[in-house]
Amino acid sequence: MDLTVDLFGTSFRNPVLLAAGTCGFGEELAAVAELDRLGGLVTKSVTLEPRAGNPAPRVAEFGAGMVNSVGLANPGASAVRRERLPWMRDHLEGLQVFVSVAGHTPEEFFEVVEILEDGPGFLGFELNLSCPNDARRGGLPFALDPEELARVVEGARDRTARPLLVKLAPNTPAWSPVVRAAEESGADGLTLVNTMPGLVLDPFSRGPLLGAGAGGMSGPALRAVGVHAVWSAARLTELPLVGVGGIARGSDAAQYLLAGASLVQIGTASFWDPRAAERVVKELGEFVAGQGVARVTELVGGARMPGSGEDGVRRKPDQNPKLEG
Ligand code: RRO
């Protein structure tokens, strides 16, 4: 049984990556997890200048998942170029690394790409156009504005020959304009989805659980949103898709692959268990073996949807295949 995925002119050991913002640059998890069992990772988003981030608490659990408002805490592009990229080159061999890039303006994205482009230790960029906690000045996140999204992607495309992923937001009113804008401006793949804007209040203190107030919601509740986003995008583009949101088990990852994702990312589950992503790899392998297919890639896009032709039967509720969780 083969878990490898050939994409972007290279090979991923398996389709499971760590998601941006949940693993730093790999240093802390490398001490407690066996990262060489994973397909890769996406770094914390890197901005032009260092950022201290938002006041604590920056993460808080609630019944259905987690909210965060980290506020893009990161060392800034020059320090990442000088220290983190060489560290990743020396310690993450065999992992496919994407550097996540964020900024307030298109020009900030371009400068970060320029500073990092000739550095070691990574395969490509993931443009974070969808941070819910740090919208571009005076406006929507880039991912919710197709014209602005295209400006960032085009400019980044001009500055790098590396694979370019574009990370989209879950709360887009329509998929078609943003998917087309990303594709036409030169994206090599789409990552779906970032966290969902959310607010958790303590009804007794009447204040928010997060130091910054509102934040981004993630965890199990985001999974159905993310799988739907991947499925929707797969109807609109041939670009490779990377699914993220609420994956904690192999069967969760399988849902994303069936919806059309070629790769998946694990985020919130790593906060609960630093070895969650390794477990997802193992469970996904067991799932693939149980399905009697030789390669994990055979699952991609294999969802049997009503009207899809292969199994177009809308089942009665009691005939639905049992869904875990
Ligand atoms: O740093 C954050 O607060 C953050 C970012 Br950049 C993002 O893209 N998504 C998120 O949930 N938090």
Side-chain angles (χ1 to χ4, degrees):
M1 190 256 310
D2 183 357
L3 285 183
T4 60
V5 178
D6 297 327
L7 211 54
F8 309 127
T10 188
S11 183
F12 292 70
R13 191 178 284 141
N14 59 61
V16 179
L17 282 66
L18 296 169
T22 62
C23 60
F25 295 80
E27 319 91 317
E28 282 140 38
L29 276 180
V32 291
E34 299 201 43
L35 294 184
D36 59 1
R37 296 195 182 167
L38 307 181
L41 67 79
V42 188
T43 70
K44 178 64 188 164
S45 291
V46 178
T47 53
L48 184 56
E49 303 297 337
R51 298 237 192 136
N54 285 339
R58 292 173 170 186
V59 297
E61 284 188 69
F62 69 106
M66 199 181 95
V67 284
N68 86 81
S69 187
V70 173
L72 269 169
N74 80 97
S78 297
V80 168
R81 170 74 183 81
R82 204 171 50 243
E83 292 155 20
R84 308 301 165 110
L85 296 190
W87 187 91
M88 293 197 298
R89 175 198 58 205
D90 295 342
H91 294 87
L92 301 180
E93 207 194 326
L95 264 74
Q96 301 295 5
V97 174
F98 286 88
V99 175
S100 173
V101 180
H104 281 139
T105 63
E107 290 70 28
E108 281 180 27
F109 279 86
F110 304 158
E111 284 194 58
V112 175
V113 170
E114 282 173 3
I115 290 168
L116 302 180
E117 170 66 5
D118 68 351
F122 72 111
L123 172 69
F125 292 104
E126 183 179 82
L127 300 178
N128 182 1
L129 303 184
S130 46
C131 177
N133 301 328
D134 194 71
R136 81 189 141 93
R137 279 184 196 116
L140 292 166
F142 293 100
L144 297 181
D145 182 335
E147 272 179 36
E148 286 296 308
L149 177 152
R151 267 187 74 197
V152 179
V153 179
E154 262 167 32
R157 177 77 291 162
D158 287 344
R159 290 165 173 84
T160 181
R162 296 174 186 262
L164 201 52
L165 297 175
V166 171
K167 189 164 181 179
L168 298 176
N171 52 326
T172 188
W175 288 106
S176 170
V178 287
V179 168
R180 287 197 203 299
E183 183 167 34
E184 287 166 10
S185 51
D188 294 307
L190 306 176
T191 303
L192 307 108
V193 289
N194 208 315
T195 54
M196 184 83 181
L199 174 63
V200 184
L201 294 174
D202 175 342
F204 298 102
S205 74
R206 303 190 179 190
L209 293 194
L210 293 174
M217 191 277 297
S218 61
L222 191 60
R223 190 188 317 132
V225 177
V227 172
H228 178 259
V230 167
W231 178 77
S232 302
R235 252 91 257 109
L236 295 164
T237 181
E238 297 287 317
L239 288 178
L241 304 176
V242 185
V244 51
I247 300 176
R249 293 171 298 198
S251 55
D252 303 335
Q255 286 193 56
Y256 273 96
L257 299 179
L258 291 167
S262 298
L263 301 172
V264 296
Q265 298 174 359
I266 314 294
T268 302
S270 305
F271 286 98
W272 291 324
D273 170 10
R275 305 191 71 161
E278 286 165 56
R279 188 171 40 71
V280 169
V281 172
K282 180 171 160 289
E283 291 171 359
L284 181 61
E286 289 161 3
F287 179 84
V288 171
Q291 293 293 299
V293 294
R295 298 199 62 183
V296 70
T297 50
E298 290 177 47
L299 296 181
V300 175
R304 294 176 183 156
M305 295 294 283
S308 67
E310 203 178 339
D311 178 7
V313 185
R314 198 180 282 277
R315 294 183 181 83
K316 292 180 192 160
D318 61 347
Q319 293 175 311
N320 273 335
K322 194 167 177 292
L323 292 176
E324 290 175 56

